[in-house]
Amino acid sequence: MLSFGTILVVDWLGLLWLLGKVEMHASGKLEAAAKPLIWGGLALLLISGALIDPDLTSLVTVVKLASVLILMLNGLSIAPAMHRLLALPPRTRFTELTRRLRLRLMFALTVSQICWWTAVLIGLLNSTLRRWAGA
């Protein structure tokens, strides 16, 4: 949950930049500072998921595992674009970026949000169902 909350804040700042409310580097600086929380949380999500003896025959479990894998790949693949972005002047607006970079950022944001929400909601649903079954 720690990583999820961190991602929500980073993405929120990115949205505020897109709307022209904050400078571009605000989101990038937060993302750089929060990187250990994000990757640490993803690692814990992966480890804890493996330790709870997941039912790999369950479609829901496979979807969650796929979501976590896609999150990790998305995080690795966006790094070069983030480096290019942070090399630009702080007052650079979203509309001033190349079309390719804008599309890349929007795609990464969309994938991130879909996969985080999917993984978190499945995790909450599974833990709730396990509690009810054990009660």
Side-chain angles (χ1 to χ4, degrees):
M1 291 302 249
L2 177 66
S3 293
F4 181 56
T6 305
I7 287 294
L8 287 177
V9 172
V10 170
D11 287 351
W12 175 252
L13 272 178
L15 178 62
L16 290 176
W17 168 63
L18 185 122
L19 297 173
K21 303 292 183 189
V22 298
E23 287 190 355
M24 171 178 56
H25 292 280
S27 178
K29 286 179 183 177
L30 177 63
E31 185 267 338
K35 203 174 282 191
L37 294 174
I38 295 167
W39 286 103
L42 267 174
L44 287 173
L45 191 63
L46 199 59
I47 292 167
S48 66
L51 293 177
I52 62 169
D53 194 27
D55 177 10
L56 297 178
T57 62
S58 166
L59 178 62
V60 174
T61 301
V62 172
V63 169
K64 181 178 179 180
L65 292 172
S67 294
V68 174
L69 175 62
I70 292 168
L71 276 171
M72 296 173 92
L73 294 173
N74 188 51
L76 292 171
S77 72
I78 195 64
M82 290 304 294
H83 289 296
R84 281 196 306 273
L85 195 63
L86 293 175
L88 296 171
R91 298 215 181 261
T92 304
R93 295 185 170 278
F94 182 74
T95 56
E96 296 172 328
L97 301 177
T98 64
R99 183 174 192 272
R100 182 180 176 143
L101 185 54
R102 285 193 317 259
L103 289 174
R104 179 67 188 103
L105 292 170
M106 294 303 293
F107 179 77
L109 171 70
T110 303
V111 167
S112 175
Q113 286 297 306
I114 289 170
C115 290
W116 274 108
W117 282 102
T118 300
V120 167
L121 292 174
I122 288 173
L124 288 172
L125 178 66
N126 276 343
S127 66
T128 301
L129 291 175
R130 283 184 183 178
R131 280 192 204 117
W132 285 349

